[in-house]
Amino acid sequence: MYKDNVVGVVIPAYNEEDHISDVVSTVPSFVDRVYVIDDHSTDDTWAEIQRAASHIKQQTISGNSEVYDSRIVTIQHETNRGVGGAIKTGYLKALEDDIDTVAVMGGDGQMDPALLKGIIDPVVEGYADYAKGNRFLRQETRRNVPPFRTFGNLLLSGLSKIASGYWAIGDSQNGYSAISKEALETVDIEEMYEFYGYCNDLLVKLNVANMVVADVPTPIRYEDETSSINYRTYVPRVSRLLFENFVWRLKEKYLIKDFNPIVLLYSLGMVGGITSVVYIINTLRSADVDNATAQTLTNFLISTLLIVQGMMKDKAENDHLAKRIEKRSGPLSLTGSTDPSGDDDFQGITSNQGK
């Protein structure tokens, strides 16, 4: 129990035999239930999960018995479903158990459990429906991110801003997060994307549901872990997912739920842009290339202006749903100030906006 909230942590794991035991063992004691999901690993991850769970059960015996018979729940997938699929399994179990706030910590040991309170505080104190880490809010944490990860992250974060409508939220691939029970009940978790890219998909669903999202400065530890992501296939796959989600968000939020001219600006801009490209291809073969080029450039500029105007209006429409959290001593306060000390000892929150 933490601040009158029943707290759960979902730990997805795939081939993490070297790290999963330490991750499970170091989950803070205020966490009421830990869901450890083995996504059909091919190494000894499941055996390590069982060993760690048995050790903790022996240590606690009947700890938290007024809420649960056991603190650790271990689940093994029969097939590999992807990290999003493992997290979905944990989310659904947490809903069954009526958990108030559900956090996600990776099974690879990159997410420091000492920072968990900073991740869940915006949710348990009612200032956000979903909070996530951001490695790029502070210079000292940005330096720890490998260059190839930085490039891919910035690219996908930029696309995620457009797709999700959370223009002030960055580091979209950061999985260290917390979500409220109300948010889990509102968004369609059953339909959440099951592979890498689940976090981008979830942001879009949260925006359509008008949920408040908070960014929390959070360093990530890179040690001897190896990423299973193939960026040559990952970036194109997630980019396609983001485009499809972008179209779905416009339809759901600005057409079905309540009509908003934003959808017209985006639609006319995209149609005009595509038409301009097709026109260029067809007219380059003709003799009147100069006139065709001038006309096409004019159409392209108009289309670009429509899209930019749509982005500006979209941002203004959703600004109140995004918060940026700063580390500062003292109670939660809604101010726009930042802490210049860079102290990583999280004791409270400041935010630039109210919920």
Side-chain angles (χ1 to χ4, degrees):
M1 185 74 69
Y2 178 71
K3 296 183 179 180
D4 297 325
N5 272 240
V6 179
V7 176
V9 169
V10 175
I11 303 177
Y14 177 72
N15 290 350
E16 298 292 354
E17 62 180 5
D18 294 333
H19 306 283
I20 190 63
S21 180
D22 289 339
V23 173
V24 175
S25 301
T26 56
V27 173
S29 60
F30 65 79
V31 174
D32 299 282
R33 179 153 283 196
V34 183
Y35 303 93
V36 192
I37 318 297
D38 174 32
D39 193 29
H40 198 69
S41 298
T42 58
D43 62 1
D44 289 331
T45 295
W46 180 243
E48 289 297 316
I49 290 173
Q50 295 295 96
R51 185 182 68 80
S54 298
H55 178 67
I56 292 172
K57 288 176 184 178
Q58 289 175 3
Q59 281 187 326
T60 59
I61 306 177
S62 60
N64 297 325
S65 59
E66 72 278 6
V67 181
Y68 301 114
D69 295 329
S70 175
R71 183 171 175 249
I72 309 295
V73 176
T74 60
I75 301 172
Q76 185 180 37
H77 283 171
E78 294 182 358
T79 60
N80 180 260
R81 291 171 51 187
V83 63
I87 292 172
K88 180 194 295 186
T89 296
Y91 278 162
L92 292 174
K93 289 294 293 182
L95 281 176
E96 289 179 11
D97 292 338
D98 202 29
I99 304 295
D100 296 317
T101 302
V102 187
V104 173
M105 292 177 58
D108 54 8
Q110 292 183 5
M111 301 174 185
D112 188 350
L115 303 175
L116 182 59
K117 287 184 179 180
I119 292 291
I120 68 175
D121 263 330
V123 177
V124 300
E125 299 201 17
Y127 288 95
D129 302 291
Y130 180 76
K132 51 173 286 299
N134 189 327
R135 295 162 288 182
F136 300 95
L137 289 179
R138 291 178 176 270
Q139 185 175 0
E140 62 268 25
T141 59
R142 288 197 295 268
R143 286 196 291 262
N144 296 330
V145 184
F148 75 95
R149 290 179 183 265
T150 299
F151 174 77
N153 189 288
L154 291 176
L155 173 62
L156 290 175
S157 290
L159 294 175
S160 294
K161 290 174 185 286
I162 299 172
S164 70
Y166 290 111
W167 293 85
I169 299 298
D171 198 8
S172 59
Q173 310 313 112
N174 196 317
Y176 204 172
S177 63
I179 190 169
S180 68
K181 179 178 65 176
E182 291 75 17
L184 282 177
E185 290 172 338
T186 302
V187 301
D188 192 358
I189 291 299
E190 287 280 7
E191 296 299 319
M192 190 176 78
Y193 189 69
E194 293 200 346
F195 298 97
Y196 289 109
Y198 73 91
C199 42
N200 311 84
D201 183 62
L202 181 56
L203 282 173
V204 175
K205 288 177 167 58
L206 289 167
N207 183 269
V208 171
N210 289 318
M211 296 291 172
V212 176
V213 174
D215 250 352
V216 182
T218 309
I220 297 291
R221 302 178 298 194
Y222 295 104
E223 296 176 356
D224 60 337
E225 308 88 9
T226 56
S227 174
S228 60
I229 299 176
N230 182 340
Y231 281 89
R232 291 183 178 180
T233 58
Y234 171 66
V235 172
R237 177 187 291 180
V238 175
S239 298
R240 178 180 175 181
L241 169 71
L242 288 172
F243 178 75
E244 292 173 351
N245 279 359
F246 169 67
V247 174
W248 176 79
R249 180 175 71 89
L250 294 184
K251 180 189 71 174
E252 291 291 322
K253 191 164 186 173
Y254 298 137
L255 275 179
I256 296 178
K257 289 189 174 182
D258 186 20
F259 177 76
N260 191 309
I262 291 172
V263 72
L264 292 179
L265 293 172
Y266 273 129
S267 299
L268 291 173
M270 287 189 290
V271 170
I274 294 172
T275 302
S276 297
V277 172
V278 173
Y279 191 75
I280 288 174
I281 294 174
N282 290 334
T283 56
L284 280 177
R285 302 171 184 175
S286 68
D288 194 15
V289 175
D290 292 338
N291 184 55
T293 301
Q295 183 176 349
T296 303
L297 283 175
T298 300
N299 293 339
F300 183 78
L301 287 174
I302 293 174
S303 300
T304 301
L305 289 174
L306 288 173
I307 292 175
V308 170
Q309 189 173 8
M311 288 180 175
M312 293 173 64
K313 290 186 176 296
D314 193 20
K315 181 179 183 300
E317 186 77 16
N318 292 284
D319 269 349
H320 68 288
L321 298 177
K323 295 182 180 180
R324 183 167 294 178
I325 307 301
E326 297 293 339
K327 295 180 180 179
R328 173 181 292 276
S329 60
L332 249 170
S333 60
L334 297 178
T335 70
S337 60
T338 57
D339 181 7
S341 66
D343 185 5
D344 283 335
D345 183 16
F346 183 88
Q347 298 179 6
I349 299 174
T350 60
S351 173
N352 61 351
Q353 294 176 2
K355 183 173 178 181

